[in-house]
């Protein structure tokens, strides 16, 4: 199987600072997949990178979720809460990659995906100082891996990625974003 790029970001996403869930990818990169796009075994890979900040006193948590479905709001993958570093971090780099393998297809909520994903940044708890050892690397989702919520493969599906931080003391900006699929 080969990989095909279906969208690549050419601009930054919004800088998110609120303690709320919001789309983090550039508006121009929100695509709509056609009806019956997925088949069992087809993989879709999200690769993202950018900058993140967190405060020393109230770092909170970070969370990414990948959404599909008619409105692009059905969460098909969720990293779970990623504990942010208790050492202040200001605009440090991060990388996130999620590969979702289609496990079932159908109407309503029948189409599901199984994830393989990671998040890496010195902004997560347990990351050493950059001069000492670099970034913290987290396999995600936090908790037991499982298929996500199902979506309807028989209808067109909008794709979006959301970011949530639990406190308004940090920020996140997506600088690079791409989606690739297997043929």
């Amino acid at each position: 199987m080969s990989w095909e790029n279906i969208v690549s970001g050419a601009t930054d996403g919004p800088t998110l600072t609120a303690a709320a869930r919001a789309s983090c990818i550039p508006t121009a990169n929100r695509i709509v997949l056609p009806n019956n796009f997925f088949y069992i075994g087809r993989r879709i890979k999200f690769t993202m990178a950018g900058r993140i900040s967190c405060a020393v006193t109230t770092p909170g948590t970070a969370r990414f979720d990948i959404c599909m479905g008619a409105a692009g709001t059905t969460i098909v993958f969720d990293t779970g809460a990623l504990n942010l570093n208790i050492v202040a971090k200001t605009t440090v780099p991060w990388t996130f990659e999620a590969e979702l393998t289609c496990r079932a297809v159908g109407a309503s909520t029948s189409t599901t995906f199984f994830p393989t994903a990671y998040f890496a940044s010195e902004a997560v708890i347990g990351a050493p100082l950059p001069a000492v050892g670099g970034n913290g690397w987290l396999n995600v989702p936090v908790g037991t891996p499982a298929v996500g919520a199902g979506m309807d493969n028989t209808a067109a599906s909008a794709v979006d990625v959301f970011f949530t931080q639990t406190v308004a003391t940090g920020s996140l900006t997506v600088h690079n974003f791409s989606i690739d699929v297997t043929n």
Side-chain angles (χ1 to χ4, degrees), residues 3-164:
W3 288 94
E4 175 186 0
N5 179 262
I6 58 174
V7 66
S8 289
T11 62
D12 288 351
T15 296
L16 303 175
T17 59
R21 182 177 180 263
S23 176
C24 64
I25 61 174
T27 303
N29 295 130
R30 296 183 197 148
I31 61 170
V32 177
L33 302 175
N35 307 18
N36 301 309
F37 184 78
F38 291 102
Y39 50 83
I40 294 172
R42 187 169 209 185
R43 295 177 290 165
I44 185 167
K45 180 168 54 175
F46 296 78
T47 304
M48 301 170 61
R51 67 179 182 231
I52 189 169
S53 298
C54 59
V56 64
T57 53
T58 53
T61 63
R63 175 181 230 130
F64 289 92
D65 57 76
I66 297 172
C67 297
M68 293 188 206
T73 56
T74 301
I75 299 171
V76 298
F77 173 72
D78 182 352
T79 63
L82 310 172
N83 291 319
L84 294 176
N85 208 319
I86 55 174
V87 174
K89 298 295 177 178
T90 304
T91 62
V92 296
W94 59 268
T95 303
F96 170 64
E97 185 173 291
E99 185 177 310
L100 308 179
T101 302
C102 183
R103 285 288 193 85
V105 293
S108 184
T109 59
S110 298
T111 304
T112 58
F113 303 90
F114 191 86
T116 303
Y118 72 87
F119 179 82
S121 176
E122 67 180 85
V124 293
I125 200 149
L129 295 173
V132 177
N135 294 321
W137 178 283
L138 301 175
N139 287 316
V140 291
V142 175
T144 305
V147 296
M151 49 80 86
D152 186 353
N153 192 46
T154 64
S157 180
V159 178
D160 205 345
V161 180
F162 288 80
F163 175 76
T164 306

